[in-house]
């Protein structure tokens, strides 16, 4: 979805959205806001009345007792109102905070469950970051919007009361206030539109800065940063992006400054006219001092209520732009079918035939297809190896088979049916996988293998760990299966080596026991003995399942029923290890190169591996 120049949702729709959310989850919020507004406006009105009322008592020479009574009465009212306000503020802030956290989980759900191609889309990634920023603290728009709505209500109540108070004055004065108010609002609205239209620029800068921040704090980059002296590069890029970002911020500030200047001019004009009129009334009609003070304070206060409404509506509008971004992120189109797709119940022994029917694939924004017209049937129960040089398209082919990507041309079929019609989550349930870029959870060994907190089958976990060759390692851990892994969350967590983590991922794939097994370089981080051990077990692990196996170590492919050799996005050779060697093509050439390095001078290539 490309960013439109206009926000998808206007302010009213966004306020409606927030009210709807609160009605479903924290229904008290709007009522508490309303009560806060009434109490705050009540306090201001009491403050307005107190001095003229006391002055009036003096003017009419009232007895001291009634003077004291008036002061005590107003003091008590103010005390009550301010006490109530402090209490309401505490109560409402908890609910507002909880609602904001709920909105954070909505974004993280979207990111975790969105169609996979969206995760490769930088625009979506930037949008998610912006949406998370809009929920990150109580001052963020998703929470601060309630304070703004409360302020608007406060100002409206004050406006109404003051309007009633001033209704006896000349209507032209009210017209002046109305016109200046409207002019100010329209102007600030226009400026806010400019900010919204330039938000993509801000997204880009923030995305780059966040990337640099993440990279410099990410432990996995720590070695490269030191060895390759990446810090100067990071500093240079940071300075360059910061310069551009600051230019943009200056421009934005200049636009906001214009709002303030125009607002100031309008306020001075409004107040000036109002005061001139009141002074004229005092001089010509002998307005008493207490009334003069009341009207004088009311006019000044009235313009403040109006300015308050104006300011807060502008602020609401700004917050609404962020809320619109938040909602647009949630609305980001899904290219895959999920709950609206056909269900696909699976069992571990379900036969799965995956067929590529004239499949081509081009990554978004790429100029060329990565895969060209692939026709391939991966038979149920077949062990298929995919080999080829870097960038040949092996991972892309596996991504298509797993349903992470949909072909740009052609179809991927499961047992003869186009996979696009299925609930994609059901389709994913068919796969057990070990990917190159695996993800270990900061959780216990058992949770990592079972990928759940409750209902873990411990016997099965042990069995899978054993198959992956981790029994000894787990036995040596302080709390066995319950040992926490990783140190980002658990200070006393255990760090595994690359090879141990890869074995753990293998155990995880075995625990899931999907009918299709995908192994994308599963032995890359293993030592030769471990690698040999895994190969020995490979037949057992894949028994009865369809399996896809990417490897750069061609010796491992001998365990497979068929080998595909991919070059430049096309299947150029396929067959068994022996038949491909006999054919003397690209595969045989690659094998010869590898064999040479494994055992120089050995005439028997196969023995050499
Ligand atoms: N997200 C992406 N966007 C654009 N192009 C991509 C993307 N991912 C991969 N490519 C391109 O697609 C081509 C094939 O990549 P792929 O990862 O499928 O190759 P591979 O055979 O698995 O390589 P390797 O052996 O290095 O893992 C490469 O030219 C790569 O630049």
């Amino acid at each position: 979805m490309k960013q439109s120049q206009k926000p998808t949702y206007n302010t009213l729709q966004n306020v409606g959205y927030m009210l709807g959310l609160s009605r479903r989850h924290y229904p008290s919020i709007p009522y508490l806001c309303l009560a806060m507004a009434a109490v705050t406006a009540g306090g201001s009105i009491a403050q307005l009345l107190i001095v003229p009322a006391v002055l009036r008592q003096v003017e009419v020479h009232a007895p001291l007792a009634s003077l004291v009574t008036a002061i005590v009465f107003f003091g008590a009212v103010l005390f009550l109102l301010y006490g109530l306000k402090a209490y309401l503020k505490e109560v409402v802030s908890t609910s507002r905070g909880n609602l904001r956290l709920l909105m954070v989980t909505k974004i993280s759900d979207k990111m975790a469950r969105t169609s996979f191609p969206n995760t490769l889309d930088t625009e979506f990634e930037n949008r998610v970051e912006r949406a998370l920023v809009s929920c990150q603290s109580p001052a963020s728009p998703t929470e601060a919007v309630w304070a703004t709505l409360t302020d608007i209500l406060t100002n409206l109540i004050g406006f109404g009361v003051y309007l009633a108070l001033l209704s006896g004055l000349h209507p032209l004065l009210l017209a002046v206030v109305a016109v200046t108010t409207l002019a100010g609002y329209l102007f600030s609205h226009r400026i806010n539109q400019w900010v919204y239209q330039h938000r993509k620029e801000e997204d880009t800068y923030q995305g780059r800065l966040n990337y640099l921040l993440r990279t410099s704090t990410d432990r996995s980059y720590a070695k490269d940063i030191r060895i390759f002296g990446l810090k100067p590069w990071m500093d240079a890029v940071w300075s360059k992006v910061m310069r551009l970002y600051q230019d943009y911020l200056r421009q934005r500030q200049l636009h906001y400054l214009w709002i303030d200047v125009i607002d100031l001019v309008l306020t001075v004009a409004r107040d000036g006219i109002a005061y001139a009129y009141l002074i004229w009334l005092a001089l010509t009609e002998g307005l008493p001092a207490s009334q003069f003070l009341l009207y004088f304070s009311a006019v000044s206060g009235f313009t403040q209520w109006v300015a308050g409404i104006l300011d807060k509506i502008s602020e609401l509008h700004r917050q609404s732009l962020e809320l619109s971004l938040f909602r647009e992120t949630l609305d980001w189109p899904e290219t895959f079918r999920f709950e609206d797709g056909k269900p696909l119940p699976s069992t571990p022994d379900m036969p799965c035939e995956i067929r590529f029917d004239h499949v081509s694939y081009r990554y978004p924004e790429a100029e060329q297809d990565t895969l060209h017209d692939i026709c391939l049937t991966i038979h149920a129960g077949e062990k298929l190896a995919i080999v080829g040089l870097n960038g040949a398209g092996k991972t892309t082919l596996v991504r298509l088979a797993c349903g992470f990507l949909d072909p740009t041309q052609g179809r991927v079929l499961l047992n003869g049916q186009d996979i696009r019609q299925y609930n994609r989550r059901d389709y994913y349930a068919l796969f057990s996988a070990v990917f190159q870029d695996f993800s270990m959870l900061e959780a216990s060994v058992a949770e990592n293998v079972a990928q759940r907190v409750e209902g873990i089958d411990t016997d099965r976990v042990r069995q899978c760990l054993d198959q992956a060759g981790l029994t000894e390692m787990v036995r040596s851990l302080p709390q066995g299966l319950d040992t926490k892994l990783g140190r980002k969350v658990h200070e006393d967590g255990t760090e595994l080596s690359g090879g141990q983590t890869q074995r753990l991922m293998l155990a995880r794939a075995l625990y899931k026991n999907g009918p299709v097994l995908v192994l994308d370089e599963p032995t890359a981080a293993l030592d030769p003995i471990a690698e040999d051990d895994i190969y020995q077990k490979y037949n057992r692990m894949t028994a009865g399942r369809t399996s896809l196996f990417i490897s750069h170590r061609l010796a491992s492919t001998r365990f497979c029923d068929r080998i595909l050799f991919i070059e430049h996005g096309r299947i150029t050779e396929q067959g068994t290890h022996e038949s491909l060697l006999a054919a003397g093509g690209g595969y045989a050439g690659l094998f010869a190169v590898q064999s040479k390095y494994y055992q120089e001078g050995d005439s028997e290539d196969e023995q050499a591996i």
Side-chain angles (χ1 to χ4, degrees):
M1 183 169 80
K2 297 292 159 204
Q3 285 187 354
S4 59
Q5 287 304 298
K6 270 174 78 79
T8 311
Y9 300 101
N10 64 30
T11 307
L12 222 58
Q13 287 168 322
N14 288 324
V15 170
Y17 175 74
M18 292 305 290
L19 287 173
L21 266 188
S22 94
R23 185 161 42 82
R24 283 195 296 281
H25 304 283
Y26 298 95
S28 61
I29 296 177
Y31 301 107
L32 289 169
C33 289
L34 191 64
M36 273 277 282
V39 166
T40 312
S44 297
I45 293 161
Q47 270 183 338
L48 168 82
L49 297 178
I50 190 164
V51 180
V54 172
L55 193 61
R56 187 72 196 143
Q57 301 283 321
V58 177
E59 275 175 353
V60 298
H61 304 292
L64 187 65
S66 60
L67 191 66
V68 172
T69 309
I71 293 173
V72 169
F73 171 74
F74 278 110
V77 168
L78 281 177
F79 179 79
L80 266 178
L81 288 175
Y82 287 132
L84 196 56
K85 186 178 165 184
Y87 169 75
L88 287 171
K89 198 172 164 192
E90 281 307 312
V91 176
V92 76
S93 67
T94 309
S95 307
R96 283 182 347 196
N98 288 340
L99 188 64
R100 175 173 59 81
L101 292 179
L102 188 125
M103 293 174 82
V104 175
T105 58
K106 278 183 180 285
I107 292 292
S108 85
D109 275 2
K110 174 76 180 184
M111 189 58 188
R113 301 172 78 86
T114 192
S115 307
F116 185 81
N118 285 344
T119 65
L120 304 175
D121 184 343
T122 332
E123 204 176 322
F124 176 71
E125 202 185 353
N126 285 339
R127 191 57 77 85
V128 167
E129 267 177 26
R130 279 294 294 274
L132 285 174
V133 167
S134 74
C135 309
Q136 74 185 2
S137 76
S140 308
T142 45
E143 185 170 341
V145 69
W146 294 112
T148 310
L149 287 172
T150 308
D151 289 344
I152 290 175
L153 281 174
T154 309
N155 285 300
L156 279 173
I157 296 171
F159 172 83
V161 173
Y162 278 48
L163 188 66
L165 207 67
L166 296 175
S167 56
L169 299 178
H170 203 290
L172 212 58
L173 183 66
L174 297 178
V176 167
V177 172
V179 168
T180 47
T181 303
L182 195 67
Y185 175 73
L186 291 177
F187 187 74
S188 66
H189 184 75
R190 230 186 129 78
I191 300 280
N192 283 325
Q193 284 296 111
W194 180 92
V195 174
Y196 187 83
Q197 280 158 10
H198 287 75
R199 73 197 191 284
K200 192 170 178 181
E201 204 178 325
E202 188 171 10
D203 283 352
T204 312
Y205 300 139
Q206 283 190 346
R208 287 178 192 172
L209 292 174
N210 285 339
Y211 165 73
L212 286 170
L213 267 182
R214 272 200 308 268
T215 309
S216 59
T217 52
D218 188 338
R219 220 189 289 169
S220 59
Y221 282 85
K223 290 197 292 296
D224 300 69
I225 290 173
R226 282 157 186 78
I227 290 283
F228 293 102
L230 290 183
K231 191 73 176 82
W233 173 83
M234 287 175 153
D235 289 345
V237 179
W238 177 273
S239 307
K240 194 172 149 205
V241 180
M242 269 312 269
R243 266 197 306 279
L244 293 169
Y245 189 34
Q246 276 166 352
D247 279 350
Y248 163 79
L249 288 179
R250 259 193 295 279
Q251 269 196 56
R252 196 177 71 176
Q253 210 48 46
L254 205 67
H255 280 77
Y256 282 145
L257 193 69
W258 270 111
I259 296 186
D260 292 340
V261 169
I262 297 287
D263 205 32
L264 188 70
V265 169
L266 292 173
T267 307
V268 167
R270 209 161 43 208
D271 285 3
I273 293 171
Y275 293 154
Y277 172 69
L278 275 180
I279 291 166
W280 177 79
L281 269 188
L283 293 177
T284 56
E285 296 182 16
L287 200 67
S290 56
Q291 275 201 30
F292 181 91
L293 185 63
L294 181 68
Y295 284 135
F296 202 79
S297 311
V299 166
S300 155
F302 184 74
T303 55
Q304 274 172 26
W305 292 124
V306 175
I309 294 171
L310 183 79
D311 275 359
K312 293 301 164 186
I313 285 178
S314 298
E315 196 171 323
L316 184 67
H317 195 69
R318 276 199 289 274
Q319 289 167 338
S320 160
L321 300 179
E322 298 297 316
L323 288 174
S324 193
L325 279 174
F326 174 91
R327 296 178 66 190
E328 286 163 28
T329 310
L330 293 184
D331 294 346
W332 202 270
E334 296 299 342
T335 43
F336 294 169
R337 298 179 75 175
F338 293 109
E339 276 66 33
D340 57 331
K342 264 170 70 174
L344 180 59
S346 64
T347 53
D349 52 358
M350 171 178 161
C352 292
E353 180 200 83
I354 298 171
R355 184 150 67 86
F356 282 58
D357 178 24
H358 295 282
V359 167
S360 295
Y361 183 76
R362 179 177 300 196
Y363 282 100
E365 316 289 334
E367 287 177 2
Q368 286 177 4
D369 286 353
T370 290
L371 293 179
H372 310 269
D373 197 29
I374 302 281
C375 290
L376 164 72
T377 303
I378 308 164
H379 302 287
E382 185 181 23
K383 297 185 198 44
L384 185 77
I386 305 166
V387 300
L389 296 177
N390 290 133
K394 304 180 294 293
T395 300
T396 308
L397 191 129
V398 168
R399 280 179 166 175
L400 283 153
C402 292
F404 291 131
L405 302 172
D406 275 342
T408 31
Q409 270 173 35
R411 298 177 303 162
V412 174
L413 308 160
L414 172 75
N415 298 334
Q417 298 296 314
D418 193 326
I419 67 166
R420 279 175 283 215
Q421 65 186 288
Y422 293 122
N423 177 344
R424 199 58 67 102
R425 287 191 248 282
D426 287 354
Y427 185 72
Y428 293 147
L430 300 176
F431 292 84
S432 279
V434 180
F435 294 115
Q436 278 176 35
D437 43 354
F438 42 73
S439 50
M440 194 191 73
L441 300 176
E442 298 272 323
S444 72
V445 174
E447 284 170 45
N448 261 288
V449 174
Q451 298 284 294
R452 63 180 66 205
V453 179
E454 304 283 338
I456 296 177
D457 181 344
T458 330
D459 288 342
R460 206 161 114 218
V461 169
R462 285 188 205 285
Q463 213 178 350
C464 296
L465 286 167
D466 190 46
Q467 270 187 285
L470 280 176
T471 302
E472 280 309 310
M473 194 279 291
V474 172
R475 209 170 277 154
S476 70
L477 292 174
Q479 286 152 302
L481 289 182
D482 295 326
T483 307
K484 302 284 184 209
L485 298 178
R487 295 229 175 98
K488 285 186 193 144
V489 177
H490 311 284
E491 271 179 26
D492 58 345
T494 297
E495 298 270 22
L496 298 185
S497 72
Q500 288 168 334
T501 311
Q502 203 156 22
R503 282 168 179 266
L504 190 76
M505 296 301 104
L506 197 59
R508 178 176 78 168
L510 293 172
Y511 186 95
K512 186 180 171 191
N513 202 18
V516 184
L517 187 65
V518 174
L519 302 171
D520 186 352
E521 291 214 60
T523 58
L526 300 185
D527 60 53
I529 296 169
E531 187 183 3
D532 185 57
D533 179 45
I534 295 289
Y535 290 157
Q536 301 298 333
K537 290 173 174 162
Y538 184 60
N539 262 328
R540 201 150 23 107
M541 287 191 285
T542 53
R545 306 184 200 198
T546 309
S547 75
L548 295 177
F549 180 37
I550 297 184
S551 181
H552 284 294
R553 301 191 197 185
L554 300 191
S556 59
T557 60
R558 282 182 297 177
F559 299 92
C560 297
D561 302 322
R562 187 162 48 128
I563 300 161
L564 300 183
F565 186 67
I566 300 199
E567 278 180 302
H568 308 298
R570 294 178 202 277
I571 301 171
T572 51
E573 296 169 31
Q574 56 180 305
T576 59
H577 178 69
E578 288 71 24
S579 70
L580 288 178
L581 283 187
Y587 179 86
L590 209 60
F591 187 77
V593 172
Q594 277 195 358
S595 307
K596 204 169 115 204
Y597 287 104
Y598 271 81
Q599 201 172 70
E600 282 282 358
D602 196 314
S603 55
E604 286 291 325
D605 281 336
E606 283 193 74
Q607 282 173 13
I609 304 222

